[in-house]
Amino acid sequence: MRLAWVTGRLTLSRGVPDFKPGSWLVCEALDAAALEGDAMKPGKRVKPMPESLIVYDRMGAGVGDLIAFSEGGEATQPFRPDRVPIDAYCAAIIDSVHIPTSRKQ
């Protein structure tokens, strides 16, 4: 599971008739450097992604939200035993992130 900022929405002119209602989010996956400092402010990746990531959402995430998403086979688990044409699924909307700056030993 990875974290991403929602940067937009995707609207389809056609859909799969048996597909459960939801929305498609345009997201920017975050790397560790983007989460440093104030993790709840949109950060920029050290190495930009070559393209945006499209994530299927049934939770109601919106532009500016931080989400956790799963990819590949794990993204299809909420739909089992049905087969669905998705590769990334929004599993959580993140309220806050705490990353300790140093560890006490």
Side-chain angles (χ1 to χ4, degrees), residues 5-27 52-63 67 70 75-76 79 83-90:
W5 284 109
V6 179
T7 59
R9 289 186 177 271
L10 179 69
T11 303
L12 302 174
S13 60
R14 289 184 160 170
V16 177
D18 296 332
F19 206 61
K20 296 178 183 177
S23 60
W24 299 94
L25 306 174
V26 180
C27 298
S52 296
L53 179 70
I54 305 300
V55 178
Y56 181 72
D57 172 51
R58 293 179 58 202
M59 303 182 89
V63 174
I67 64 167
S70 58
T76 65
F79 303 94
R83 296 185 68 188
V84 294
I86 64 169
D87 191 47
Y89 179 80
C90 176

Side-chain angles (χ1 to χ4, degrees), residues 35-57:
L35 290 172
E36 289 179 358
D38 188 353
M40 292 310 294
K41 290 184 180 175
K44 296 294 182 188
R45 292 175 55 95
V46 172
K47 296 178 182 176
M49 292 183 66
E51 57 210 27
S52 296
L53 179 70
I54 305 300
V55 178
Y56 181 72
D57 172 51

